[in-house]
Amino acid sequence: MSVAAVQKEVHVNAHPSDQLMRAERLPHILCPGCGIGSVIHCYVDAVAASGIPVNRHVCVSGIGCSGRAAGYVNVDSYHTTHGRSVPFALGIAVYNPELHVTVISGDGDLTSIGGNHFIHAARRSVSLLVLCINNFNYGMTGGQAGPTTPLSALSSTTPFGCWERPFNLPHLAHAVGASYVARWTVLHVRQLRNSILRGMQKEGFRFIEILSPCPTGFGRPNDIGDGLMEMQNYLRRCEVRNEPHLHDIDIDLTHADSPIIVGDFVDIDRPSFRPIISGPVPETRPAEAWAMVKATQIKEEPNGK
């Protein structure tokens, strides 16, 4: 670096996103090359741009590397149990519809252990924005295969290659009722930030799949290389298509030249789930009425027993 460049160097005491981050939790625990930090940055940037008061944003996460997100953002946040981020978030969103609830979690937490919660929250059109960081494995617990591990991919539980067909998450989310569906990678930070912002503006169940490197758990056994090399892979293979046939956008990592389709796939209007959680209390049945019911039941039993 030249002397002139050093003289022009500007030192700042704060980052524009500092108010939305819990600086006391830094440095983070994520592995070098992991993409989760980029997702968190896109989320807080979208929060700042949303125009929604910060005290009306809520971030919920489950267990796993992605589940750490809730601990780093400076909004009301909840780090829940494994697979239960969606039902926990559902309770918050239904009880207080004024809140904007975002779930940030991983592919295993959301669509394996929490898969049942995921499909029914989408079916009910619960007002949730779900950011699924898909790194193709259970990274934190040892690199085991998960519901999105590609066919033939190696993991600690599939040493001879995965033989189970993985989920096509955008297709699944659309099929069960999501009003907004998108897929990006951590390389597409600008598109991802705009997609999260769009999701915050919509009603119903909104879903964004975010492909992220996991050099430690998935990249190493599959000879993908470090995080930078996987990002170069995204740069080479990703194609933006906003209206693809969703059943055709499986991710095929076995063929190095097959495209990875990303884009804003679904954007429709669907009202949010608004259950009746309060209303007129039915009259209590008097004790005499209960006594008559019990007497009738005894009389109708065979042989007077």
Side-chain angles (χ1 to χ4, degrees), residues 73 149 209 222 267 273:
V73 297
T149 301
E209 179 187 22
N222 290 285
D267 191 342
F273 178 58

PDB file of all heavy atoms in Angstrom, residues 73 149 209 222 267 273:
ATOM      1  N   VAL A  73     -28.325 -10.803  16.025  1.00  0.00           N
ATOM      2  CA  VAL A  73     -29.080  -9.637  15.563  1.00  0.00           C
ATOM      3  C   VAL A  73     -29.718  -8.932  16.753  1.00  0.00           C
ATOM      4  O   VAL A  73     -30.191  -9.563  17.702  1.00  0.00           O
ATOM      5  CB  VAL A  73     -30.153 -10.037  14.530  1.00  0.00           C
ATOM      6  CG1 VAL A  73     -29.478 -10.609  13.294  1.00  0.00           C
ATOM      7  CG2 VAL A  73     -31.140 -11.047  15.089  1.00  0.00           C
ATOM      8  N   THR A 149     -29.226 -33.148   1.125  1.00  0.00           N
ATOM      9  CA  THR A 149     -27.945 -33.677   0.645  1.00  0.00           C
ATOM     10  C   THR A 149     -28.130 -34.251  -0.756  1.00  0.00           C
ATOM     11  O   THR A 149     -28.986 -35.119  -0.973  1.00  0.00           O
ATOM     12  CB  THR A 149     -27.433 -34.774   1.596  1.00  0.00           C
ATOM     13  OG1 THR A 149     -27.285 -34.222   2.905  1.00  0.00           O
ATOM     14  CG2 THR A 149     -26.092 -35.311   1.131  1.00  0.00           C
ATOM     15  N   GLU A 209     -34.964 -19.855   0.005  1.00  0.00           N
ATOM     16  CA  GLU A 209     -33.875 -20.809   0.171  1.00  0.00           C
ATOM     17  C   GLU A 209     -32.565 -20.096  -0.181  1.00  0.00           C
ATOM     18  O   GLU A 209     -32.473 -19.445  -1.228  1.00  0.00           O
ATOM     19  CB  GLU A 209     -34.059 -22.021  -0.749  1.00  0.00           C
ATOM     20  CG  GLU A 209     -32.925 -23.035  -0.620  1.00  0.00           C
ATOM     21  CD  GLU A 209     -33.022 -24.163  -1.651  1.00  0.00           C
ATOM     22  OE1 GLU A 209     -33.676 -23.954  -2.689  1.00  0.00           O
ATOM     23  OE2 GLU A 209     -32.440 -25.230  -1.415  1.00  0.00           O
ATOM     24  N   ASN A 222     -16.468 -33.639  -0.122  1.00  0.00           N
ATOM     25  CA  ASN A 222     -16.880 -33.691  -1.518  1.00  0.00           C
ATOM     26  C   ASN A 222     -15.926 -32.960  -2.461  1.00  0.00           C
ATOM     27  O   ASN A 222     -16.268 -32.687  -3.618  1.00  0.00           O
ATOM     28  CB  ASN A 222     -18.305 -33.121  -1.648  1.00  0.00           C
ATOM     29  CG  ASN A 222     -19.335 -34.039  -1.029  1.00  0.00           C
ATOM     30  OD1 ASN A 222     -19.676 -35.069  -1.606  1.00  0.00           O
ATOM     31  ND2 ASN A 222     -19.826 -33.689   0.158  1.00  0.00           N
ATOM     32  N   ASP A 267     -44.695 -15.097  -6.461  1.00  0.00           N
ATOM     33  CA  ASP A 267     -45.081 -13.867  -5.765  1.00  0.00           C
ATOM     34  C   ASP A 267     -46.570 -13.665  -5.998  1.00  0.00           C
ATOM     35  O   ASP A 267     -46.990 -13.047  -6.976  1.00  0.00           O
ATOM     36  CB  ASP A 267     -44.277 -12.675  -6.291  1.00  0.00           C
ATOM     37  CG  ASP A 267     -44.447 -11.438  -5.422  1.00  0.00           C
ATOM     38  OD1 ASP A 267     -45.430 -11.390  -4.642  1.00  0.00           O
ATOM     39  OD2 ASP A 267     -43.624 -10.518  -5.512  1.00  0.00           O
ATOM     40  N   PHE A 273     -52.986 -16.174   7.944  1.00  0.00           N
ATOM     41  CA  PHE A 273     -53.806 -16.955   8.873  1.00  0.00           C
ATOM     42  C   PHE A 273     -54.197 -16.077  10.058  1.00  0.00           C
ATOM     43  O   PHE A 273     -53.357 -15.504  10.732  1.00  0.00           O
ATOM     44  CB  PHE A 273     -52.965 -18.140   9.345  1.00  0.00           C
ATOM     45  CG  PHE A 273     -53.614 -19.048  10.341  1.00  0.00           C
ATOM     46  CD1 PHE A 273     -54.805 -19.695  10.061  1.00  0.00           C
ATOM     47  CD2 PHE A 273     -52.999 -19.286  11.566  1.00  0.00           C
ATOM     48  CE1 PHE A 273     -55.376 -20.564  10.982  1.00  0.00           C
ATOM     49  CE2 PHE A 273     -53.554 -20.147  12.492  1.00  0.00           C
ATOM     50  CZ  PHE A 273     -54.746 -20.790  12.203  1.00  0.00           C
TER      51      PHE A 273
END
